[in-house]
Amino acid sequence: GHQGHVNSLAWVGSDTLVSGGDDGAVIAWDVGSAQPRRTFAGGAAVYRVTVDPSGTLLAAAVVDPAVPVWNLRTGERVASLPGHHGSANDAEFIGARLLTTDEAGVLRTWDAARGELDGVLPGDGVIFGVRAHDGGMVLAGESASIRVASLAPSRSLRRMIGHRARVRSALFDASGAVLYTASNDGTARAWDVATGASRFTVGAADPQPEPPLAPDATVPAPNAHGVRSVALSPDGRTVA
């Protein structure tokens, strides 16, 4: 198995789990037997692993300017996506396209199978993560703010302001209309994607509805340890 911390996991169907860690290894595991099916040499520490919807392509955001892409079924390295500044901080498939971010705040879209760059969206700060849904929207967390952009064409649409520290986790609901975020400021928030308004904040004893937040708005009772992840129940009614 891994010889260090595991930083990222991705399911492939219900019987395969892919992991990536500080040791630079990317491993596809058989869930039933808990044994490795295949090991991919990432080389540098792995921040995130992501698999395309067909379960064929596997990509890893690593501490390196190039993002490796493999054929998950054969183990062949099919592409190396270059040009990232410093490290690739995150990667995510949306359909057949791959989104990547780097330390210069640049968001790139790729044809991962061909290793070709489709588009570039410059940023104005380090992008820590990117999430997308089938409607073609992408989320990029830049420090304490969140930027929503379109993929075709690549352009920024709006910015969500309210968190007071780095945004650590984010996810869309099934419709793509609501975005949930977790931050080092000790709060989790729900946002209206269309308007950028904050729907509610969890960080005090109970979630409190609120109007859209100004940059100098007060964040309720932060958790001293921060909130590192946010998850949504399958029915879309409960956020944790």
Side-chain angles (χ1 to χ4, degrees):
H2 288 285
Q3 303 301 312
H5 291 104
V6 174
N7 297 323
S8 180
L9 299 170
W11 283 99
V12 185
S14 60
D15 61 351
T16 302
L17 187 66
V18 178
S19 61
D22 285 345
D23 58 2
V26 176
I27 303 175
W29 301 85
D30 181 278
V31 174
S33 67
Q35 295 299 311
R37 286 183 169 175
R38 193 182 301 276
T39 298
F40 308 84
V46 178
Y47 288 142
R48 178 124 191 267
V49 292
T50 180
V51 178
D52 78 337
S54 72
T56 302
L57 295 179
L58 163 67
V62 298
V63 184
D64 190 273
V67 171
V69 181
W70 298 275
N71 184 306
L72 184 58
R73 297 169 182 171
T74 68
E76 176 189 6
R77 185 159 172 164
V78 298
S80 182
L81 311 179
H84 298 88
H85 299 275
S87 301
N89 289 342
D90 206 354
E92 173 155 297
F93 276 103
I94 175 168
R97 301 169 78 183
L98 180 69
L99 313 179
T100 63
T101 66
D102 66 18
E103 294 180 357
V106 178
L107 172 69
R108 294 174 174 83
T109 62
W110 304 84
D111 181 322
R114 296 183 179 182
E116 296 177 353
L117 182 65
D118 283 341
V120 176
L121 181 65
D124 55 7
V126 177
I127 299 179
F128 293 113
V130 59
R131 299 294 179 267
H133 68 80
D134 291 339
M137 302 296 294
V138 59
L139 165 112
E142 298 170 309
S143 186
S145 68
I146 304 150
R147 182 162 52 116
V148 175
S150 67
L151 294 177
S154 295
R155 61 188 179 91
S156 294
L157 298 180
R158 64 191 58 85
R159 189 178 298 273
M160 299 169 179
I161 297 174
H163 283 300
R164 290 294 174 270
R166 173 178 170 178
V167 176
R168 298 296 299 266
S169 178
L171 60 87
F172 286 100
D173 73 348
S175 70
V178 181
L179 180 70
Y180 298 92
T181 59
S183 168
N184 277 356
D185 66 10
T187 66
R189 290 176 179 262
W191 307 85
D192 186 293
V193 173
T195 66
S198 180
R199 291 190 170 193
F200 63 81
T201 299
V202 180
D206 299 296
Q208 300 294 323
E210 61 192 31
L213 295 176
D216 59 349
T218 300
V219 177
N223 182 318
H225 300 288
V227 181
R228 297 199 171 196
S229 186
V230 62
L232 191 63
S233 65
D235 64 6
R237 299 181 64 183
T238 304
V239 61

